[in-house]
Amino acid sequence: QVQFVESGGGLVQPGGSLRLSCAASGFTFSEYTMYWYRQAPGKVREIVATITEAGSSTIYADSVKDRFTASRDNAKNTVFLQMNSLKPEDTAVYYCYAYTPSRQWGQGTQVTVSS
């Protein structure tokens, strides 16, 4: 059974940092590109970052480029998202995802950027 367990969210002031983690299970993690998505209240879910199977290539949404960094540890089936210089518009529920046949999503982790 595919599972994603996101953690590391919380309340942070503008300009602050957070590091999200996502523990994945139920599939061969090292064979999948991993994605970070986010969904703000009243908005559609949007892709934030992509990291390839070996972690050698990453792609970021323009809105987070130069502020967010995705990484992964294939030995621990975990993907990370380091978020720096956070802005109020980064407030959202953050999800990790892989396009496995199950199309399963995790519960996400809430990130709130507010003073």
Side-chain angles (χ1 to χ4, degrees):
Q1 180 181 356
V2 172
Q3 280 192 313
F4 301 105
V5 180
E6 299 92 345
S7 62
L11 173 64
V12 62
Q13 292 187 341
S17 297
L18 284 173
R19 180 178 167 87
L20 306 184
S21 299
C22 169
S25 60
F27 63 103
T28 307
F29 181 79
S30 61
E31 295 181 357
Y32 281 80
T33 291
M34 292 298 299
Y35 303 84
W36 281 99
Y37 283 83
R38 68 184 181 187
Q39 188 166 19
K43 294 190 175 181
V44 299
R45 194 168 295 183
E46 64 174 352
I47 192 167
V48 173
T50 303
I51 182 165
T52 53
E53 292 88 331
S56 56
S57 180
T58 52
I59 302 171
Y60 300 97
D62 287 343
S63 58
V64 307
K65 202 170 293 183
D66 299 325
R67 298 188 298 122
F68 289 12
T69 302
S71 60
R72 64 191 292 163
D73 183 342
N74 285 349
K76 296 182 178 180
N77 289 2
T78 302
V79 62
F80 305 96
L81 187 66
Q82 178 66 44
M83 307 187 297
N84 298 329
S85 303
L86 283 162
K87 304 176 181 180
E89 51 263 43
D90 294 319
T91 295
V93 179
Y94 284 72
Y95 304 86
C96 68
Y97 189 70
Y99 283 86
T100 68
S102 74
R103 296 290 192 261
Q104 181 71 36
W105 289 85
Q107 82 289 348
T109 186
Q110 175 71 48
V111 172
T112 303
V113 184
S114 175
S115 55

